[in-house]
Amino acid sequence: MDLEALRKEIDSVDTQLTDLFVQRMNLCAQVARYKKEHNQAVLNQGREREILRRVSAQAGEELDSYARILFSTLFDLSRTYQEMLLTEESKVAKEIAASLENTPKLFPKEAVVACQGVEGGYTQQACDKVFSFADIMYFRGWAGVFSAVQKGMCQYGVLPIENSSHGSVNGVYDLMRSFDFHIVRSVKLHISHSLLARPGASLAGIKEILSHEQAIGQCSEFLQSMPGVKITVCENTAAAAKMVAESGRDDLAAISSEVCAGIYGLQVLKDKVHNTDNNYTRFIVISKEAEIYPGADHLSLMFKVGHTPGSLTRILSRFSSLGLNMTKLESRPISGADFHYMFYLDFEGSIYDPTVVKLLSELEQELEWFVFLGAYTEE
């Protein structure tokens, strides 16, 4: 047989497979109704193992593993379909509908906003990029920002979550599980680091450099060119500049922004000390209540999957099958649970697309822990 003839045979088989798939899912719907009437759980692991043994033997040794993958996927789809049929309306679908109805059409220009650090920091600069008139409350750590938003002290909070050259801000991701919040916007800020010192100081006389760990990583090549200089981590690049200004030392410098040089009366010993000019940090704007503004096309969620082979792969395959582009996947260990992880995921999609809402509803039903963080636009 030539290639075209083989393809026609495959098309014929695919048609039969589709008809059988529809038939199987219709039978699953009947099973769901029976389980509901008799108060039975959707998952029946013994039944699934029995089917896997049977199809494995039927497929033969060469196709054994492929058959198991196929039917494991069918089981996932069947369970999700049954869960959807047994639930009148998912919590996440209700939340999205309420947010779309209650959120104003325009993002606010002014608000009370929580930021980590002090005046002049990159978080403050990101805040100013989002809000025209922000009343900023500064907090020493990121936990303070989360807490202020959760307690209603501030309407919004701004937090860095990743840098284009130095990766994720792990401390922020680690805190996400501990607070209730929603993401309402994100913004990318170009980061340009300079070496700042008190007036009269010289580059050759610097013995210690202060900065945040992210900035230190972003300027690693420059720091390697200064052997013997002590590197000290502090809470914020702007705080580092302030400490230098108040130190009275001419041998102390900070990696910070030129904005801080003006604020704290420092001189620029060397500009552009970062490894690359393509240096951007992404910040998220969080709120206590869910807000979804027009044009939202970025979505974020957190979840935990079962500690079994292939559990994460089966979840992620849903996105590619629907043509949804995943832009971020971050895993963080769960404290107190050995080698168990939570996952943070960003993807592009329209919150107005029923397919997207349906996917979120299915994930909420299927996953043992699931949090929809929000739908938003990115500047």
Side-chain angles (χ1 to χ4, degrees):
M1 297 178 67
D2 62 18
L3 183 58
E4 285 303 314
L6 289 169
R7 284 174 171 168
K8 287 181 180 179
E9 289 286 337
I10 289 175
D11 290 343
S12 175
V13 171
D14 287 345
T15 300
Q16 297 174 62
L17 283 173
T18 303
D19 289 339
L20 290 171
F21 173 74
V22 172
Q23 182 181 346
R24 192 184 198 282
M25 295 300 278
N26 288 335
L27 289 170
C28 285
Q30 296 180 45
V31 170
R33 287 191 288 271
Y34 179 91
K35 289 179 176 178
K36 183 176 183 179
E37 292 172 2
H38 295 81
N39 196 29
Q40 294 184 9
V42 169
L43 176 61
N44 186 334
Q45 291 181 327
R47 165 79 173 156
E48 291 185 2
R49 284 194 295 269
E50 176 188 333
I51 295 174
L52 286 177
R53 283 195 297 268
R54 186 176 73 243
V55 300
S56 176
Q58 182 180 348
E61 184 176 350
E62 184 176 356
L63 297 178
D64 169 27
S65 61
Y66 299 101
R68 286 179 174 271
I69 292 171
L70 172 62
F71 276 83
S72 293
T73 302
L74 280 174
F75 294 157
D76 288 338
L77 295 173
S78 298
R79 286 196 301 271
T80 301
Y81 187 43
Q82 290 183 52
E83 292 281 7
M84 288 295 297
L85 292 172
L86 295 175
T87 304
E88 293 183 3
E89 187 176 14
S90 71
K91 178 182 175 183
V92 68
K94 291 179 181 179
E95 180 182 309
I96 290 170
S99 298
L100 289 172
E101 181 178 352
N102 298 326
T103 303
K105 299 304 180 186
L106 294 177
F107 194 81
K109 294 183 178 180
E110 55 184 291
V112 180
V113 185
C115 291
Q116 184 265 349
V118 296
E119 188 75 17
Y122 292 112
T123 301
Q124 178 240 305
Q125 294 178 41
C127 177
D128 289 343
K129 189 174 180 180
V130 176
F131 300 95
S132 301
F133 309 101
D135 182 5
I136 300 177
M137 294 179 65
Y138 289 105
F139 294 85
R140 185 177 181 86
W142 294 313
V145 175
F146 278 111
S147 181
V149 171
Q150 182 173 286
K151 292 177 180 178
M153 296 168 58
C154 299
Q155 187 177 356
Y156 299 104
V158 179
L159 294 157
I161 58 170
E162 63 178 320
N163 176 264
S164 58
S165 63
H166 198 60
S168 299
V169 184
N170 292 329
V172 173
Y173 283 107
D174 288 336
L175 288 166
M176 286 183 174
R177 186 176 170 85
S178 303
F179 295 92
D180 293 325
F181 68 97
H182 296 84
I183 301 175
V184 297
R185 183 145 298 195
S186 69
V187 58
K188 291 180 180 177
L189 183 71
H190 183 256
I191 305 298
S192 181
H193 294 302
S194 297
L195 187 68
L196 310 182
R198 285 164 49 87
S202 65
L203 184 61
I206 298 301
K207 295 181 180 179
E208 183 179 4
I209 295 176
L210 312 178
S211 199
H212 186 266
E213 60 183 350
Q214 273 278 334
I216 290 170
Q218 294 163 28
C219 302
S220 59
E221 294 176 7
F222 167 73
L223 293 174
Q224 288 172 8
S225 71
M226 299 187 68
V229 173
K230 180 182 178 182
I231 309 301
T232 301
V233 175
C234 62
E235 66 203 49
N236 182 272
T237 56
K242 185 178 180 182
M243 290 168 65
V244 170
E246 296 172 351
S247 68
R249 293 172 52 185
D250 289 337
D251 64 347
L252 185 66
I255 291 178
S256 189
S257 67
E258 286 196 37
V259 171
C260 286
I263 293 174
Y264 298 109
L266 301 175
Q267 66 168 326
V268 177
L269 292 182
K270 188 174 179 61
D271 64 358
K272 297 183 179 179
V273 294
H274 37 272
N275 296 345
T276 173
D277 281 336
N278 187 32
N279 191 32
Y280 289 85
T281 294
R282 180 170 171 248
F283 295 81
I284 54 173
V285 181
I286 64 171
S287 67
K288 181 179 181 180
E289 304 298 334
E291 299 175 2
I292 302 178
Y293 291 90
D297 57 1
H298 287 67
L299 296 92
S300 297
L301 50 92
M302 295 188 296
F303 60 92
K304 181 177 180 291
V305 298
H307 202 53
T308 56
S311 56
L312 179 60
T313 301
R314 289 193 290 271
I315 294 300
L316 299 184
S317 65
R318 306 275 187 87
F319 293 87
S320 60
S321 66
L322 295 174
L324 299 172
N325 182 38
M326 290 184 293
T327 57
K328 176 77 173 179
L329 179 64
E330 181 75 22
S331 65
R332 299 302 302 158
I334 297 174
S335 177
D338 291 342
F339 302 107
H340 285 247
Y341 297 84
M342 60 151 275
F343 294 91
Y344 172 98
L345 187 147
D346 290 334
F347 69 97
E348 295 175 339
S350 174
I351 196 63
Y352 308 99
D353 184 350
T355 303
V356 171
V357 178
K358 184 172 184 291
L359 171 63
L360 295 174
S361 298
E362 290 173 351
L363 295 177
E364 180 184 50
Q365 296 298 322
E366 180 177 343
L367 293 165
E368 55 185 86
W369 180 73
F370 172 89
V371 179
F372 173 63
L373 292 176
Y376 50 93
T377 57
E378 183 167 279
E379 297 182 18

